[in-house]
Amino acid sequence: MAFWAGGSPSIVDYFPSEDFYRCGYCKNELGSRSNGMWAHSMTVQDYQDLIDRGWRRSGKYVYKPVMNQTCYEPMDSTVDDAVVGDFALINKLDIQCDLKTLSDDLKESLESEGKNSKKEEPHELLQSQDFVGEKLASGEPSHSVKVHTVPKPGKGADLSKPPCRKAKEIRKERKRLKLMQQNPAGEHEGFQAQGQPPSLFPAKAKSNQPKALEDLIFESLPENASHKLEVRVVRSSPPSSQFKATLLESYQVYKRYQMVIHKNSPDTPTESQVRLVPVSFEDPEFKSSFSQSFSLYVKYQVAIHQDPPDECGKTEFTRFLCTSPLEAETPPNGPDCGYGSFHQQYWLDGKIIAVGVIDILPNCVSSVYLYYDPDYSFLSLGVYSALREIAFTRQLHEKTSQLSYYYMGFYIHSCPKMKYKGQYRPSDLLCPETYVWVPIEQCLPSLENSKYCRFNQDPEAVDEDRSTEPDRLQVFHKRAIMPYRVYKKHQKDPSEEAAVLQYASLVGQKCSERMLLFRN
């Protein structure tokens, strides 16, 4: 049995997918399907292992798309982000429970268990291939990576094109050619002798070499610069004093972002009858109609997504971008800011213009969401924030060597607004069957031919962390912690066993033994 030293374990409610719902990307009414769980609390190591198996979070809702059943049909380049789908995922299981009572019950159980439990050796962490979506390097120190191109929204990975040149370099080249036309000799020494600015011809052997990312991001500005940019990292959960002090201003930016950037046309559903059912998953009628009710809710979100100025989803903002199941951890060998959930605020001339929502985990910085003031759209803040987060990851890596990856989330090859991620290199994609990482260059040919692919080319390869001993899965039931082999003796509902075994297969053996599956 697992033993939790120095902290509480993750506690999750699992709900298997029973139906399809509206896809936020292609707008197909029945285009998306996922399995999910409501995380009452979660350790950063458990979430690290979960996202390395294809899970992601929206607020406290942690979900895993059913890849071979989700649409991914070709989409128009003007399609909006799937923010509506994200909101729906959060609200899908907005379970109201007495968390204090739950916490007290758990503490009681842990204390009683700890007295008679033997501490197990910690599981070894996989280092060589633990990353999702994007990584900074293939087993190499992160400082060896340089960003050569700045991706443009809507453009996918193009392996045939050379790295883009900076506008500054192009201007220098034009000026050099102009000077050469004025001096037929065209020799560099002649230009320098005539008093031309030395900066035109630096002493470096290769003047057109791209700058390192840190040189680009952290370049010092003169004291008399017209504008001042400052980036602050504040802990969002539990909220720090800095987070609380700036919450209203941050929310105002989010509100403007939703009103201007996301514009969805009304799609009001119809009703033919009204029925009252108990709001309880123990009630058969409620359970049978839950999926249909959830789909209706998603349509409702779409219809009112462009909210009036005074009612622009403050509840959704809090649930989606502020609350998090991740427990804050500050180990001595970790980053100075600790692990957990944060907001990276971009301050320009004393006001917030953008906020990047991120999770800092043992192996990575995971990008959750970005919102910005639409008045500053011309600054390409999506690209800049990604580069800034990569640079931030590399900073953290200098102290915490295992933290060396940057996760950008899901890559959808047929969606232009998601496809741009493939331009950041080096980059790997997760095999949906064996959960190993494959360079994107090897994946693209398969994705051109099929919307669902097994990227691992080894036909004998299997999921190394697959659930092989489901009886060791930990269950939290009636204020007691017990292995599944004990819990199942008291269960008569056959669907309960199917749900628990599906959960075990999706989270893997390690997480199933560490996390507590809450059953009421």
Side-chain angles (χ1 to χ4, degrees), residues 317-378:
F317 168 73
T318 303
R319 289 177 180 170
F320 178 35
L321 301 175
C322 301
T323 60
S324 169
L326 300 185
E327 298 292 332
E329 297 181 24
T330 54
N333 60 341
D336 293 337
C337 59
Y339 297 118
S341 297
F342 298 82
H343 279 197
Q344 196 166 42
Q345 302 173 337
Y346 295 77
W347 291 75
L348 181 63
D349 299 335
K351 71 174 184 178
I352 299 177
I353 65 167
V355 177
V357 182
I358 59 175
D359 292 329
I360 300 178
L361 304 174
N363 292 349
C364 74
V365 170
S366 174
S367 178
V368 179
Y369 196 69
L370 172 78
Y371 58 94
Y372 55 85
D373 188 331
D375 289 345
Y376 296 89
S377 298
F378 66 94

Side-chain angles (χ1 to χ4, degrees), residues 45 49 121-127 130 510 514:
Q45 185 58 60
D49 290 343
E121 292 297 319
H123 296 283
E124 291 185 359
L125 300 180
L126 297 176
Q127 296 288 339
D130 279 359
K510 287 186 299 186
R514 289 199 307 253

Side-chain angles (χ1 to χ4, degrees), residues 128 131-139 404-406 425-428:
S128 61
F131 43 91
V132 171
E134 300 290 328
K135 68 171 186 175
L136 290 180
S138 300
S404 54
Y405 305 118
Y406 176 56
R425 301 300 174 87
S427 175
D428 288 6

Side-chain angles (χ1 to χ4, degrees), residues 228-235 242-243 245-246 249 342-352 354-356 358 388 392:
K228 180 183 178 181
L229 175 67
E230 181 184 2
V231 179
R232 305 176 189 173
V233 179
V234 297
R235 184 178 288 279
Q242 299 95 327
F243 178 82
T246 57
E249 183 175 357
F342 298 82
H343 279 197
Q344 196 166 42
Q345 302 173 337
Y346 295 77
W347 291 75
L348 181 63
D349 299 335
K351 71 174 184 178
I352 299 177
V355 177
I358 59 175
R388 189 91 195 196
F392 179 57

Side-chain angles (χ1 to χ4, degrees), residues 382-398:
V383 173
Y384 180 75
S385 67
L387 296 178
R388 189 91 195 196
E389 288 169 5
I390 291 173
F392 179 57
T393 305
R394 288 163 62 155
Q395 279 187 323
L396 298 179
H397 171 79
E398 294 302 319

Side-chain angles (χ1 to χ4, degrees), residues 83-116:
V83 179
V84 179
D86 290 333
F87 284 152
L89 287 169
I90 307 163
N91 290 281
K92 178 179 179 181
L93 296 175
D94 183 16
I95 300 170
Q96 301 297 323
C97 65
D98 188 342
L99 292 181
K100 185 178 184 305
T101 302
L102 181 62
S103 177
D104 292 341
D105 293 345
L106 174 62
K107 186 177 180 182
E108 242 177 69
S109 301
L110 290 177
E111 288 175 352
S112 61
E113 180 186 351
K115 294 176 182 177
N116 301 314

Side-chain angles (χ1 to χ4, degrees), residues 37-324:
M37 51 193 177
W38 188 264
H40 298 282
S41 65
M42 183 166 286
T43 67
V44 291
Q45 185 58 60
D46 283 340
Y47 186 54
Q48 176 73 67
D49 290 343
L50 286 174
I51 60 176
D52 284 339
R53 294 181 64 82
W55 293 78
R56 297 288 290 179
R57 78 170 184 89
S58 289
K60 288 192 171 186
Y61 186 72
V62 187
Y63 62 100
K64 187 180 188 303
V66 182
M67 292 295 189
N68 59 351
Q69 296 182 30
T70 299
C71 54
Y72 304 137
E73 296 298 333
M75 306 167 198
D76 184 77
S77 61
T78 60
V79 69
D80 289 333
D81 292 338
V83 179
V84 179
D86 290 333
F87 284 152
L89 287 169
I90 307 163
N91 290 281
K92 178 179 179 181
L93 296 175
D94 183 16
I95 300 170
Q96 301 297 323
C97 65
D98 188 342
L99 292 181
K100 185 178 184 305
T101 302
L102 181 62
S103 177
D104 292 341
D105 293 345
L106 174 62
K107 186 177 180 182
E108 242 177 69
S109 301
L110 290 177
E111 288 175 352
S112 61
E113 180 186 351
K115 294 176 182 177
N116 301 314
S117 299
K118 183 178 179 181
K119 183 176 179 181
E120 296 182 354
E121 292 297 319
H123 296 283
E124 291 185 359
L125 300 180
L126 297 176
Q127 296 288 339
S128 61
Q129 294 178 327
D130 279 359
F131 43 91
V132 171
E134 300 290 328
K135 68 171 186 175
L136 290 180
S138 300
E140 297 294 329
S142 64
H143 57 73
S144 66
V145 182
K146 294 183 180 179
V147 176
H148 297 287
T149 63
V150 179
K152 296 180 179 179
K155 297 296 180 89
D158 190 341
L159 305 182
S160 64
K161 291 185 178 180
C164 299
R165 297 177 61 192
K166 296 186 178 67
K168 185 177 180 181
E169 294 172 355
I170 296 174
R171 290 196 299 270
K172 283 184 178 181
E173 180 68 15
R174 289 174 179 170
K175 192 166 185 177
R176 187 182 72 82
L177 292 174
K178 184 177 180 180
L179 291 171
M180 289 181 66
Q181 290 174 355
Q182 294 172 356
N183 185 342
E187 295 179 358
H188 291 182
E189 294 79 7
F191 291 133
Q192 293 175 349
Q194 295 175 19
Q196 298 300 331
S199 60
L200 289 177
F201 306 103
K204 295 180 181 179
K206 297 181 180 180
S207 61
N208 286 334
Q209 284 295 311
K211 286 185 179 181
L213 178 59
E214 286 77 6
D215 294 336
L216 176 66
I217 294 295
F218 303 120
E219 184 175 10
S220 298
L221 296 176
E223 293 183 2
N224 62 347
S226 301
H227 301 281
K228 180 183 178 181
L229 175 67
E230 181 184 2
V231 179
R232 305 176 189 173
V233 179
V234 297
R235 184 178 288 279
S236 56
S237 180
S240 65
S241 57
Q242 299 95 327
F243 178 82
K244 292 178 181 178
T246 57
L247 180 59
L248 180 59
E249 183 175 357
S250 179
Y251 168 64
Q252 294 299 331
V253 175
Y254 167 82
K255 183 168 71 173
R256 283 181 48 76
Y257 177 78
Q258 290 297 323
M259 291 173 59
V260 177
I261 302 299
H262 296 293
K263 300 176 180 178
N264 295 298
S265 59
D267 183 16
T268 307
T270 59
E271 285 188 77
S272 57
Q273 59 178 322
V274 176
R275 298 171 63 186
L276 298 177
V277 297
V279 184
S280 170
F281 276 96
E282 296 181 354
D283 182 79
E285 190 172 8
F286 179 82
K287 289 179 68 175
S288 65
S289 62
F290 176 77
S291 295
Q292 187 175 356
S293 177
F294 170 56
S295 298
L296 184 63
Y297 170 78
V298 175
K299 291 182 180 180
Y300 170 76
Q301 287 291 336
V302 172
I304 67 166
H305 193 40
Q306 191 176 4
D307 297 317
D310 296 332
E311 297 292 336
C312 195
K314 192 168 185 178
T315 300
E316 285 80 3
F317 168 73
T318 303
R319 289 177 180 170
F320 178 35
L321 301 175
C322 301
T323 60
S324 169

